[in-house]
Amino acid sequence: MSQLKNDRFLRALLREPVDVTPVWMMRQAGRYLPEYRASRERAGNFMGLCGNPEMACEVTLQPLERYPLDAAILFSDILTIPDAMGLGLYFEVGEGPKFKKPVRTEADINALQVIDPAQDLPYVTDAVKLIRRELNGRVPLIGFSGSPWTLATYMIEGGSSRDFRRAKQMLYNQPELMHQLLNTLAESVIVYLNAQIEAGAQAVQIFDTWGGALSHSAYQEFSLNYLDKIVKGLIREREGRRVPVILFTKGGGQWLEAMADTGADALGLDWTTDIGAARARVGSQVALQGNMDPTILYAKPDRIRAEVGAILQSYGSGPGHIFNLGHGITPEVDPEHAGAFIRAVHDLSQQYHA
Ligand code: CP3
């Protein structure tokens, strides 16, 4: 395996000194890029991209050709796990993900088995290997998974949901059944992420996109518990380096202490939390990733630059910050604005790393 030419992302995750604050964007390979839309057209649809390692590699690298990003993220989706469990994932244009066979009953849940990544998702580990080869040490590669709770919401609802009515009904009426589902998912996430790490992923992020929809106590019991189990089940060292784990609970700003106690290396923040205040709370334990409101990318480049400056100032001097958006970049963003954002992070952060 080649030496990393740019390791500031991995160093920042371990709170080690860096020259400038590293930056990447959630959904950095996505519809805001015309070259992504062209690749998707050629693949036929989104799952055609995910399922073909050459195409997944191609789109993973697209944002890195345009911008001086400090990390690549595997192009795939969190819903590959339920798809591998036999739920039949498909995407309806303009409607987001859907499952042919949602999970609704005790019998449905009893029938689910922990996935075998080598058997069920070889296209994911093949993509990881190919991307590592093509990156050739330029920047580290991030692997990822959804959290058990977030995956469960899609599996039970059969797609995206506004209020998670069915998932919450199960959580409150049949908590043991919900725990059974979450356990199967947690075991699956562990083997899935470990397979990505063994294939070459150098850091992993767990997307708990809907953790923030839970009550204070339900979050601990139905999401954090399983994040904790996953963190403790992951391979943490590979190729002579630590493989950092990033936990991102959208809407989780009030639970940072409990999240840090899982032993994760870093926490992702959405834009509703002040990053300086978060650092004061948990910064001696974990690195922090985030947290610019992704809709600021609709504003003028000068305004974007000012916002980057304000977030850097709030975090303050010293290592432990990975710049990112507070959630994924949206399809309507002008690629020039994304470029202005990334340049601003590198320019304006030098002064904080004397
Ligand atoms: O960050 C990256 O660049 C890596 C790729 C990535 C995708 N999805 C590509 C994608 C990652 C990390 C994800 C994670 C994901 N997928 C999450 C968690 C992160 C988050 O955004 O909160 C969730 C909830 C999903 C499920 C999912 N996949 C949804 C709800 C959608 C539809 C979104 C929409 O706006 O229509 C997807 C599709 C998807 N995943 C796209 C991309 C680039 C768009 C598909 C397309 O090209 O049409």
Side-chain angles (χ1 to χ4, degrees), residues 24-31 36 40 46 73-79 91 96-97 144 150 154 160 207 209-210 327-328:
W24 68 282
M25 300 185 294
M26 288 190 268
R27 291 272 170 99
Q28 63 190 21
R31 285 165 292 183
Y36 169 85
R40 193 183 61 177
F46 169 68
I73 179 161
L74 163 69
F75 189 83
S76 189
D77 199 80
I78 63 167
L79 301 177
F91 282 81
F144 70 89
T150 295
Y154 287 97
S160 302
F207 287 87
T209 307
W210 303 122
H327 199 204

Side-chain angles (χ1 to χ4, degrees), residues 3-66:
Q3 276 301 109
L4 264 176
K5 295 170 192 103
N6 171 356
D7 67 352
R8 58 168 83 97
F9 168 69
L10 293 181
R11 294 180 61 82
L13 284 170
L14 301 180
R15 291 173 290 139
E16 292 169 3
V18 286
D19 54 344
V20 294
T21 301
V23 55
W24 68 282
M25 300 185 294
M26 288 190 268
R27 291 272 170 99
Q28 63 190 21
R31 285 165 292 183
Y32 74 105
L33 291 177
E35 57 270 34
Y36 169 85
R37 297 196 298 268
S39 300
R40 193 183 61 177
E41 189 85 12
R42 259 195 298 129
N45 55 45
F46 169 68
M47 285 311 283
L49 282 180
C50 295
N52 178 321
E54 283 76 27
M55 300 276 331
C57 177
E58 174 181 310
V59 295
T60 298
L61 298 179
Q62 284 170 349
L64 289 124
E65 305 298 334
R66 261 190 197 254

Side-chain angles (χ1 to χ4, degrees), residues 234-285:
L234 293 180
I235 298 168
R236 299 300 279 278
E237 203 172 309
R238 212 37 212 168
E239 301 174 50
R241 271 190 107 120
R242 186 161 175 95
V243 182
V245 182
I246 309 162
L247 293 186
F248 172 59
T249 291
K250 185 162 169 279
Q254 65 278 42
W255 301 314
L256 299 179
E257 289 82 359
M259 291 170 74
D261 284 342
T262 60
D265 298 280
L267 304 181
L269 303 176
D270 70 25
W271 62 95
T272 62
T273 300
D274 178 75
I275 196 165
R279 185 184 191 184
R281 288 163 56 195
V282 294
S284 64
Q285 240 178 309

